[in-house]
Amino acid sequence: STFGGNPVACAAALKAIEIMERNNLNQRAEQIGEITMAHFRRWKETYPIIGDVRGLGAMVGVELVRDRETKEPATRETEAVVQEALRRGVIVPRCGLYGNVIRFLNPLTIADAELAEAVDVLEAVIAEADGALARAGAATT
């Protein structure tokens, strides 16, 4: 069948595994995860819009909330973060049940300098969203 045991698909899968082992991409995934999680955990302490940070290896989710107590999803703010990050050259999809989680998933071959640049852009955009949310909250009180 197309997906079950197709010789071409099997050959491609074996080659992909060979490349992953040769380039030690499992270890690179762990390194990327450690780098990004360190930043994102620090951001959680700095920006109230961040309700949670979770991930495994290179795939990390940053959940944005309007209020940490109620955990109200910051869906509109998340969309704004995604769009502004894209405008600045960083592609981050949003996901989660309410569309309020930013998924940070880089190529495992990303250079450290490129990773640092992407993290800096994402922090700047989240800081702007956090400030806008704080101003909106202050205006309603």
Side-chain angles (χ1 to χ4, degrees):
S1 73
T2 302
F3 298 107
N6 177 307
V8 175
C10 290
L14 288 172
K15 190 52 128 174
I17 292 169
E18 177 187 318
I19 291 168
M20 290 175 69
E21 288 174 343
R22 180 182 67 223
N23 294 336
N24 206 8
L25 294 182
N26 286 345
Q27 181 181 12
R28 181 62 179 155
E30 290 176 15
Q31 290 171 338
I32 290 170
E34 289 169 7
I35 292 167
T36 56
M37 287 296 280
H39 286 280
F40 299 163
R41 286 187 183 119
R42 180 179 50 79
W43 297 354
K44 185 178 176 190
E45 300 301 317
T46 306
Y47 306 113
I49 195 171
I50 297 178
D52 193 23
V53 174
R54 54 189 175 269
L56 179 63
M59 188 164 89
V60 179
V62 178
E63 181 178 6
L64 302 186
V65 295
R66 295 184 62 80
D67 181 301
R68 281 194 182 167
E69 295 297 317
T70 65
K71 298 290 188 188
E72 178 187 351
T75 305
R76 287 189 317 269
E77 292 81 0
T78 304
E79 178 60 24
V81 166
V82 167
Q83 292 302 318
E84 183 59 22
L86 179 60
R87 192 184 74 68
R88 296 182 190 191
V90 176
I91 300 170
V92 287
R94 66 185 190 140
C95 58
L97 184 61
Y98 303 105
N100 68 315
V101 178
I102 296 168
R103 186 181 331 165
F104 201 71
L105 180 58
N106 305 287
L108 300 180
T109 56
I110 191 169
D112 286 342
E114 293 169 325
L115 179 60
E117 181 180 349
V119 166
D120 289 346
V121 166
L122 189 57
E123 181 178 16
V125 173
I126 287 174
E128 290 170 12
D130 183 71
L133 185 61
R135 286 188 300 279
T140 59
T141 57

